[in-house]
Amino acid sequence: MNIITRFAPSPTGSLHLGAVRTAIFNFLFTKRNKGKFILRIEDTDQERSTNDSLDEILKSLNWLGVDYDDGPHIQSDRLSIYKKIAQDLVDKNLAYKCFMKNEEIEELKNQAAKEKKVYRYPRTWRDRTDHPENAKYVIRFKTPDSHIIEFSDTLRGTIKIGSDNLDDFIILKSDGYPTYNFSTVIDDAEMGITNVIRGEDHLSNTSKQTLIFDSLNKKPPLFTHVSMILGKDKTKLSKRNGSKSIQDFKDEGILPIAILNYLARLGWSHGDQEIFTLDEMVDLFDINNLTKSPAIFDEDKLKWVNSQHLKRLSNNDLLKVVKVDFYQGINIDLALSSAKVKAKDTIMLNESLKFCESELIKIGDEFIDDLYTKDTKEIIEAFYTDALDLKSFEIKEIKDCMNIFLEKRGLKMKQIALPLRIILTGSKASPGIFEVISILGKEIFSKRIEHYLES
RNA sequence: GUCCCCAUCGUCUAGCCUGGUCUAGGACACCGCCCUUUCACGGCGAAAACAGGGGUUCAAAUCCCCUUGGGGACGCCA
């Protein structure tokens, strides 16, 4: 059987990590099995759904490289379908119209809270036929009494829940929109979804959805409820405990593959391997090899994974993510090679390559003490004179030149490396000094030294 | 409160299904040392866990039960 899966976010905010992880699992699983991956937008909450959110979700998925084969299907385009099926269920006496007013429900909820009980809809309209004319109503599902609801989960086995724990839940709201449990089931059935991979927080919804599948005479898909990602405080990830959106990570210089890798490794593993390419993940991913317990999000490790991918990136690919205008004459290849091994994110990378952007660099006032002593100036000038004689500005030549210079003058590397670094990069932190000189090349090197000597 | 899920180092995890090779392996973070021209990278090392109690068995991190702990759900949100 061909695998068909879906990722079904609701456009009520930016894409967050938990959602992204289920998207990744669906994506990997589907690719692994050469199936079809559908994107479906569950915008049945008129109040909270926004186009901006939808745009951001699409943008983020695209940036991550989580591509879908079909969609996005928008649920609000399909209202007539849900309405019709809800009405069918009413006609079959499997659902019913409920005319209870909001105020009445509020009252019941308050009452329940007072008695420290959980509110349950009292089935007031379940069997009534004295329906008011032109009044607003919702459609509720007739949850059967004392029935054992059973469904299976590929990770957790068979799960059984007594129907008495559920009340007559709403499937169609008074604004004519379906509720989540209803539209999800209809779409999963209509779209031929074979595998539903979603967060563990949906486990309790699955019992309701099983009931709906039954009422529709449809076979439910195979469920896999993936463990949740928790914040540092061990509760569901939310803005409160530091959850960031994909956009945030992008802005912080995290690579898409690092997010994919880190998030996939949260709950999934392949022996001791920590770093995966996308192809490797697709190749190795096994839905049956997921951890059942929740995992705490650790930004330090994400950063580390990011640094590992940064190191592995080819200079060609690196050029696409780096935001540096290399000045003409800069040895870009060498610059990238020496910068990428040290950076943890692309922000750092950009920062460390700043000295490559122009012919001259600005030297901050804080370095005056380090640079403008008579000795320093004299040493730099002397080394400069030697360096000018070099035919090639390869690292090796520069190094040899330096060693001869130091020996000749009885100096230590330390005495010249720091000022030279500041003069050439405007910073105390940079790639190795020989690399820096080689990256700049003879011309820019000379310009910067002369500029210093003249100041 | 009710229902559901889960339980190996601080964190992510390997091992669990198919008991013995586990004096429990790896990674992040932390600490120490080394490398060193800065910042880093890297290398080496240390510390660090089978929640508790009962079973089953010659043998349990691994199987079963209970307790405890954690998480999730209980919306005209998804």
Side-chain angles (χ1 to χ4, degrees):
Chain A
M1 184 175 65
N2 271 336
I3 296 292
I4 304 176
T5 62
R6 45 61 164 194
F7 174 54
S10 66
T12 54
S14 47
L15 252 201
H16 283 269
L17 291 174
V20 173
R21 191 173 64 140
T22 63
I24 293 170
F25 284 151
N26 273 291
F27 176 72
L28 294 176
F29 172 74
T30 313
K31 289 276 167 244
R32 176 83 184 90
N33 293 288
K34 302 198 178 357
K36 186 165 90 169
F37 182 43
I38 298 175
L39 179 65
R40 188 170 74 215
I41 303 298
E42 311 217 323
D43 60 341
T44 53
D45 184 338
Q46 287 195 80
E47 299 262 308
R48 297 197 304 153
S49 296
T50 67
N51 275 327
D52 286 352
S53 294
L54 176 57
D55 288 346
E56 191 182 330
I57 288 170
L58 296 178
K59 210 170 83 187
S60 295
L61 286 177
N62 181 47
W63 178 72
L64 284 166
V66 174
D67 303 324
Y68 38 91
D69 306 302
D70 187 21
H73 295 279
I74 314 287
Q75 286 193 324
S76 59
D77 291 344
R78 301 162 51 78
L79 291 183
S80 56
I81 298 171
Y82 311 122
K83 272 186 191 169
K84 184 188 171 297
I85 296 178
Q87 186 56 49
D88 286 349
L89 290 182
V90 172
D91 295 343
K92 286 184 193 155
N93 203 23
L94 293 169
Y96 60 94
K97 292 179 180 175
C98 165
F99 294 86
M100 187 175 273
K101 293 193 176 68
N102 275 327
E103 303 84 71
E104 291 177 70
I105 291 182
E106 274 310 307
E107 184 56 35
L108 286 169
K109 283 183 179 172
N110 288 335
Q111 188 71 26
K114 242 180 242 173
E115 293 168 26
K116 293 201 166 181
K117 285 179 181 164
V118 177
Y119 156 78
R120 261 303 146 68
Y121 172 72
R123 296 185 166 184
T124 315
W125 290 89
R126 187 168 166 119
D127 298 308
R128 276 168 72 169
T129 49
D130 55 332
H131 294 177
E133 293 279 321
N134 297 322
K136 285 211 162 197
Y137 62 88
V138 299
I139 294 182
R140 289 182 183 269
F141 188 83
K142 267 192 184 175
T143 299
D145 285 319
S146 308
H147 165 75
I148 302 291
I149 305 167
E150 206 176 309
F151 62 90
S152 65
D153 179 288
T154 62
L155 277 183
R156 298 162 206 276
T158 302
I159 293 166
K160 295 176 189 169
I161 295 161
S163 65
D164 295 340
N165 294 302
L166 274 39
D167 67 359
D168 285 354
F169 54 91
I170 293 169
I171 57 175
L172 202 77
K173 309 181 211 175
S174 57
D175 63 1
Y177 279 63
T179 56
Y180 160 74
N181 282 309
F182 193 57
S183 52
T184 290
V185 168
I186 290 170
D187 285 353
D188 284 346
E190 286 216 347
M191 295 174 183
I193 304 297
T194 58
N195 295 260
V196 167
I197 301 168
R198 56 166 44 148
E200 195 189 347
D201 47 341
H202 286 287
L203 214 40
S204 57
N205 285 323
T206 308
S207 50
K208 291 178 187 170
Q209 294 180 15
T210 301
L211 248 22
I212 299 174
F213 275 111
D214 285 351
S215 71
L216 260 32
N217 266 321
K218 300 278 189 187
K219 190 170 159 275
L222 218 45
F223 294 106
T224 303
H225 287 94
V226 176
S227 62
M228 319 225 56
I229 306 181
L230 310 179
K232 279 246 188 305
D233 60 356
K234 293 196 171 192
T235 65
K236 197 174 169 182
L237 211 51
S238 72
K239 278 173 199 153
R240 264 193 79 80
N241 55 26
S243 175
K244 293 176 178 168
S245 70
I246 293 306
Q247 271 302 320
D248 293 334
F249 288 113
K250 185 183 176 190
D251 294 343
E252 289 172 18
I254 306 294
L255 299 169
I257 183 62
I259 294 177
L260 260 36
N261 187 157
Y262 173 75
L263 248 26
R265 257 299 331 251
L266 218 55
W268 170 74
S269 62
H270 179 73
D272 287 339
Q273 189 170 347
E274 298 281 355
I275 304 301
F276 299 83
T277 64
L278 187 56
D279 285 345
E280 280 177 314
M281 284 193 275
V282 169
D283 198 39
L284 297 170
F285 185 74
D286 180 1
I287 192 77
N288 297 310
N289 199 222
L290 299 181
T291 309
K292 288 182 278 193
S293 49
I296 294 168
F297 176 73
D298 179 8
E299 194 160 345
D300 282 335
K301 186 135 188 188
L302 203 215
K303 286 248 168 79
W304 177 79
V305 170
N306 195 49
S307 73
Q308 296 301 310
H309 279 285
L310 224 37
K311 276 193 234 304
R312 285 164 170 76
L313 228 45
S314 73
N315 287 350
N316 234 354
D317 290 335
L318 206 55
L319 216 41
K320 292 173 198 155
V321 297
V322 148
K323 285 200 184 97
V324 178
D325 288 326
F326 289 97
Y327 189 73
Q328 49 175 299
I330 292 284
N331 184 339
I332 298 176
D333 209 45
L334 181 59
L336 292 174
S337 297
S338 33
K340 72 182 173 190
V341 292
K342 313 208 294 185
K344 278 216 186 286
D345 54 58
T346 56
I347 305 285
M348 269 174 138
L349 197 60
N350 291 336
E351 198 61 38
S352 69
L353 289 170
K354 255 207 149 77
F355 75 97
C356 298
E357 288 193 305
S358 53
E359 184 171 62
L360 298 177
I361 38 101
K362 224 185 113 200
I363 296 170
D365 294 341
E366 68 271 29
F367 299 124
I368 286 177
D369 291 347
D370 293 311
L371 294 185
Y372 296 100
T373 67
K374 209 175 150 220
D375 275 0
T376 306
K377 225 166 175 172
E378 196 260 328
I379 292 170
I380 297 289
E381 182 159 25
F383 173 68
Y384 175 51
T385 309
D386 283 8
L388 279 183
D389 288 338
L390 286 176
K391 289 205 174 63
S392 136
F393 258 45
E394 295 295 312
I395 294 174
K396 187 177 175 306
E397 273 68 37
I398 297 162
K399 199 170 180 177
D400 291 345
C401 172
M402 176 66 85
N403 285 334
I404 293 167
F405 173 78
L406 292 177
E407 202 168 326
K408 191 168 65 182
R409 318 243 329 179
L411 291 169
K412 289 260 181 269
M413 186 70 186
K414 279 190 184 164
Q415 292 169 269
I416 188 167
L418 179 70
L420 203 49
R421 168 169 293 113
I422 295 172
I423 292 162
L424 296 176
T425 69
S427 160
K428 282 188 176 182
S430 82
I433 196 66
F434 306 126
E435 279 85 353
V436 167
I437 296 172
S438 185
I439 287 166
L440 294 176
K442 194 172 196 168
E443 202 167 313
I444 303 173
F445 167 76
S446 304
K447 286 265 166 57
R448 289 188 188 182
I449 297 284
E450 276 168 23
H451 182 251
Y452 157 75
L453 291 174
E454 285 160 16
S455 64

